[in-house]
Amino acid sequence: MLPFRSRKRKKPPEPELNQPLATEATPENQENPSLSSSLAENLTTLQSVFANCTDLVYRELKIGQEQVPALLLYMDGITDEKTVNQDILKSLVNIRYSNPEGSGFNNIGMIKSVFMEIGNITEISTIGEVVEGVLTGNVALLLEGDARVLKIGTKAPIGRIVSEPITDGVVRGPREGFTESLRTNTTLLRRKIKDPNLKLEKVVLGRTTKTEVNIAYLEGIANPKVVAEVKKRIALIDVDSVLESAYIEEMIEDKPFSIFPQIDHSERPDKIAAGILQGQVAIFTDGTPFVLIVPTMMLHFMQSSEDYYDRSIYASWIRVVRFLFLNFALLLPALYIAVTTFHQGLLPTALLINIAAARVGAPFPTIIEVLTMEVTFEALREAGIRLPKPVGQAVSIVGGLVIGEAAVQAGMVSPITVIVVALTGISSFCIPSYSFALAIRILRFGMIILASTFGLYGMLLGLLVMQAHLVSLRSFGVPYFAPLAPFNLKDMKDSVMRLPWWAMGERPRLTANNTNNNRQRQKFFLKPAPPDENG
Amino acid sequence: MKMDKGCLTMRKLAFIVVCISLLLTGCWDYQEVDRLAPVMAIGIDSIPGSKIILLTVQIASPEGKGGSKRTGQQGGGGEAYTVMNSEGKSLSEAIHNLSTQSTRRISLSHCKIIVLGENFAEAGIGQILDELKRDRNFRRTDWLLTTDKTAKEILEKDIELEQVPARGLDLILQNFTTLGRVLPMNLSDFSARLNEESKVSFSPLVQLEDIDKQVTSQLEKAAGRSLESAGRPKTLTISKTAVYKNLRMVGVLNEDDTRLHRWLIDSPKGSSIKFTYTPQSPTEEVQGEVMLNIIDGKTSITPQISENGITMNIAVTVKASLSETGVTGVDVLDPKVVAQLELQAAEAVKLQLEHTINTAQKEIKVDYVDFAESLHNYYPVEWKQIKDNWDDTFPTVEYRISCDVEIRNTGIITDSTQQNESEE
């Protein structure tokens, strides 16, 4: 009664999209003035916009026989210098020789359609567009006497080469991973799905960062409602910066305060491609190798892309092991506390005596021992990630030997606690998804406290609440706990176990488009069989 | 409905206080495992004519368990168990009284053995049986043992190879469940039998025997001199059965009757048949002990009521393998000889069974062979009339035993060694 009473009635949030942000100075958001036909005027305007931008290059030149003043405007570094020099400048210089009649060349349209030896060219006509084009790595060509500007696409391919992903490691499977460059990432995807139905829709997010975001989905297979919902939620985002896909993730989640992650991410092109092929929608963000994929169900966090590359029997076994250790990671320390401090009758007699013998003279109650060791383990893990590699090894030696062995030697903790904590630590690494493992790590502490307070009864209560929360979650309209609840036998083919590929005749019901009955993804009855010898 | 603001804060405060007090201290039955005294066995004695229960508990002590792994602490000394005694008017009072001498909380949930002293068993066990069944700490699977001494003597005795004797007794009884001569009884079975028609139950009898002394004295007799002996202490043995009727111990079955009793009640499986083989043809003079190991077997008791009275048909079928012949010149590959062996084995079984049933009918006069139960099952209507004076009827009940022994496996060894010996 009491907690409900204190709950405040929330006001529905007012849409505040039209309200100005702090970074209002950018000209895009002011009334967007058109360019004038005077080059000098345009130059002044642009110079005031780009004041103190040393990386901006103004290249003034005169083109054609009539020596019409022109201006090339681009950002140094993010444009491809080679293209600017070899293609753009050359084309402009060549106008003089190639157009003896000489009357129409001072027309931007003419330059675009006749002279420019570049593929990606658009005509623009406002200051805002010029600014944005220049900032995203294009070259702007301004011409005296023309109020239009040519935006010439020359983005420089900067960024690291495609390399093996650090997360989502596999033994068998592709070794390439996404990079920080959006176009590289979408290319990796295109190379896997060669189908015009693979749509990549561009959205620019972040008033200051102007991060390009691509929404990728397979038309006809992705659920149009989900696609529309993704677009709608992304369109609502109005921030000044998007530096990583997590910015987007947090703003489009269904339940922002849930402890469980509701959107999966990966830096593996094969995993994203597989998701898109079964009807999910991927969200590529420029500047990060991590691509979001929605809708996500809980089981997705327990699946590794390797499950689909190993033989189905092995993959199913590995999944079963993973689920076992998921339970260990969540419950083992709590179970240890509950059983040793409340339900000693459940222990085998010999184990009871062993545990008691190991605890003789232990100064702290079991709960303190376990909490101390768990927190220490968390610290070790965090330190292991943050420290530079050479030092990391030292930490693991100190952590493993000193904290484990010495704490037992000194009689601070009992050896069985160390075993329990170590096993729990190993178990939590069995969860393929790092973010899901983090959720389990936090929940484990809750379970420990419940177990030390109410024993197994408390643990069961905790699990009950957790389960109720899990089945109430939804990710873009898809039940989070599906296909277990609501149960769907056909989707169970790829859940705790994985059936062989020849048995995966249909796409999953809940993610794939259900409207036009195209759930079938391959011929049925593909089970290989040797030909009948009798003919 | 407007909530008083002060009241709300008080409620919140109360909520927080409850939360904190639970989180900091835990629930009421929170107990660290090293602050427990795990009772492994309890023994119950009484003095004739007195209502007081004398309780003996055997408590495992973790400190003595082969030495703790902790350095800087005592390294390995100490007994693996301690024995405590207390008394009280009832079992639970006696258990409560233990707390006056124990620094740790008495935990009964690991108790596997309940030993009843002779005096107590003869005086009647109804008083504690109720408590044993009611207290959730005593499991239905706890073994019930009776002794012909006092329970205190039994629980103070070590068992070889085991650190805690109660565990040793538990292991012996566990072995008995699959094979063996004595039918082990747990609390549930024991009380279930007491509720049956005949109100008869039984439990294995644990004894203290000086096997070392027995063997030494026999050897001394043979050698004609006094032998050097390490003088090992007395040993706990379980080979007999105590019979209860109406919650009172009324008699003890000896080893043979115990074995055959198990045949009747349970099955012959895991037991053995020993008999003296006499060949048919008088020309052969071989004669000797033959041992059959029973691989599989079944006993069924079918009652029959006619004008002549009640007859019990006892059918025993046994599949056995030849374990030792002990006889020279027995050709176990000859089907005729095997058939002879089978016949004589069946005869031997018959005689032994008759002896056991006679003991029940004539000596102890208690129906521990389940005649009443099978009558009740086959003739429920008639049973209602017999029921009231069953105790008088039982000794007069006729029975017929048919036994069928099949020797499945004689082994491929012929008696070659013995042949050779006799030739030499």
Side-chain angles (χ1 to χ4, degrees), chain B residues 274-295:
Chain B
K274 206 168 85 181
F275 63 98
T276 315
Y277 173 68
T278 27
Q280 280 245 294
S281 51
T283 48
E284 294 175 62
E285 301 229 329
V286 282
Q287 201 178 36
E289 292 293 311
V290 176
M291 181 89 149
L292 298 180
N293 273 346
I294 298 174
I295 309 165

Side-chain angles (χ1 to χ4, degrees), chain B residues 44-285:
Chain B
I44 300 159
D45 289 309
S46 67
I47 305 154
S50 159
K51 273 278 176 192
I52 299 285
I53 280 179
L54 301 168
L55 179 73
T56 310
V57 293
Q58 196 177 73
I59 295 169
S61 97
E63 285 89 343
K65 207 224 121 240
S68 61
K69 310 289 178 295
R70 223 169 262 280
T71 50
Q73 306 246 335
Q74 78 274 39
E79 281 283 312
Y81 68 98
T82 51
V83 174
M84 285 186 193
N85 291 294
S86 73
E87 55 184 69
K89 287 206 180 71
S90 69
L91 179 62
S92 42
E93 192 187 311
I95 291 168
H96 280 304
N97 286 344
L98 279 175
S99 63
T100 56
Q101 46 181 315
S102 171
T103 57
R104 302 180 182 179
R105 192 199 278 188
I106 301 291
S107 155
L108 290 165
S109 53
H110 283 269
C111 174
K112 288 287 285 181
I113 306 283
I114 299 157
V115 183
L116 307 176
E118 189 183 28
N119 286 331
F120 179 74
E122 281 172 350
I125 59 170
Q127 180 194 355
I128 65 133
L129 205 60
D130 180 65
E131 284 181 63
L132 290 177
K133 280 155 79 177
R134 220 173 274 282
D135 190 339
R136 68 184 164 90
N137 282 314
F138 291 108
R139 306 289 149 95
R140 291 294 170 93
T141 52
D142 287 357
W143 300 119
L144 200 71
L145 289 170
T146 315
T147 176
D148 56 354
K149 302 235 169 18
T150 61
K152 184 168 183 288
E153 285 170 284
I154 300 294
L155 291 187
E156 280 170 348
K157 224 58 249 142
D158 275 324
I159 285 191
E160 289 297 312
L161 302 178
E162 291 300 327
Q163 284 172 321
V164 183
R167 171 131 180 89
L169 286 174
D170 179 31
L171 289 173
I172 292 174
L173 290 164
Q174 272 180 33
N175 288 341
F176 278 162
T177 54
T178 48
L179 61 118
R181 312 147 168 199
V182 185
L183 187 65
M185 273 302 204
N186 59 30
L187 207 51
S188 162
D189 290 346
F190 184 82
S191 36
R193 285 197 174 273
L194 280 178
N195 290 337
E196 275 176 9
E197 296 299 331
S198 53
K199 308 272 183 267
V200 170
S201 191
F202 32 82
S203 86
L205 188 80
V206 57
Q207 288 174 298
L208 266 182
E209 272 184 51
D210 203 342
I211 295 176
D212 182 58
K213 202 174 167 189
Q214 285 169 22
V215 173
T216 314
S217 66
Q218 281 172 34
L219 286 174
E220 273 173 352
K221 216 178 271 171
R225 62 186 172 86
S226 67
L227 285 175
E228 292 228 356
S229 171
R232 274 178 292 133
K234 288 184 177 178
T235 320
L236 291 177
T237 56
I238 302 175
S239 57
K240 294 181 182 173
T241 301
V243 178
Y244 287 80
K245 163 96 182 166
N246 291 332
L247 301 169
R248 255 172 239 279
M249 184 169 105
V250 289
V252 173
L253 303 184
N254 66 18
E255 275 108 349
D256 284 337
D257 284 344
T258 297
R259 189 160 55 87
L260 271 298
H261 173 237
R262 186 169 179 172
W263 283 43
L264 279 171
I265 298 294
D266 189 32
S267 91
K269 201 173 161 183
S271 184
S272 58
I273 309 171
K274 206 168 85 181
F275 63 98
T276 315
Y277 173 68
T278 27
Q280 280 245 294
S281 51
T283 48
E284 294 175 62
E285 301 229 329

Side-chain angles (χ1 to χ4, degrees), chain A residues 438-513:
Chain A
L438 278 172
I440 297 295
R441 262 159 80 177
I442 295 170
L443 282 174
R444 181 196 303 152
F445 284 94
M447 284 293 174
I448 289 174
I449 289 171
L450 279 174
S452 62
T453 318
F454 297 113
L456 283 180
Y457 172 67
M459 278 174 70
L460 273 177
L461 282 187
L463 283 175
L464 214 62
V465 171
M466 195 187 93
Q467 191 64 44
H469 175 66
L470 273 175
V471 293
S472 77
L473 278 180
R474 265 160 200 279
S475 176
F476 288 86
V478 175
Y480 191 60
F481 211 59
L484 297 166
F487 185 74
N488 186 330
L489 189 65
K490 282 199 167 172
D491 279 6
M492 286 299 285
K493 63 180 180 286
D494 181 18
S495 53
V496 181
M497 61 199 162
R498 179 183 75 77
L499 292 196
W501 273 113
W502 44 259
M504 297 264 219
E506 291 188 345
R507 298 188 181 89
R509 246 146 224 267
L510 283 165
T511 49
N513 184 3

Side-chain angles (χ1 to χ4, degrees), chain A residues 1-3 5-6 340-342 344-350 352-367 369 408-409 411-415 449 452-454, chain B residues 1 3 8 11-12 15 19 22-23 25-34 36 38 40 60-63 65 67-74 104 107 109-110 112 139 164 167:
Chain A
M1 188 71 185
L2 210 109
R5 196 174 283 282
S6 60
T340 56
T341 59
F342 287 100
Q344 291 94 354
L346 289 178
L347 286 168
T349 309
L352 172 90
I353 294 169
N354 278 353
I355 292 178
R359 266 197 63 80
V360 168
F364 302 116
T366 315
I367 164 76
E369 276 188 9
V408 173
Q409 290 276 333
M412 295 279 287
V413 292
S414 66
I449 289 171
S452 62
T453 318
F454 297 113
Chain B
M1 206 176 90
M3 198 74 195
L8 193 72
R11 278 198 179 192
K12 266 186 188 168
F15 184 70
C19 279
L22 280 174
L23 289 183
T25 61
C27 218
W28 62 271
D29 62 347
Y30 172 87
Q31 191 69 47
E32 288 292 340
V33 71
D34 54 326
L36 283 183
M40 307 293 284
S61 97
E63 285 89 343
K65 207 224 121 240
S68 61
K69 310 289 178 295
R70 223 169 262 280
T71 50
Q73 306 246 335
Q74 78 274 39
R104 302 180 182 179
S107 155
S109 53
H110 283 269
K112 288 287 285 181
R139 306 289 149 95
V164 183
R167 171 131 180 89

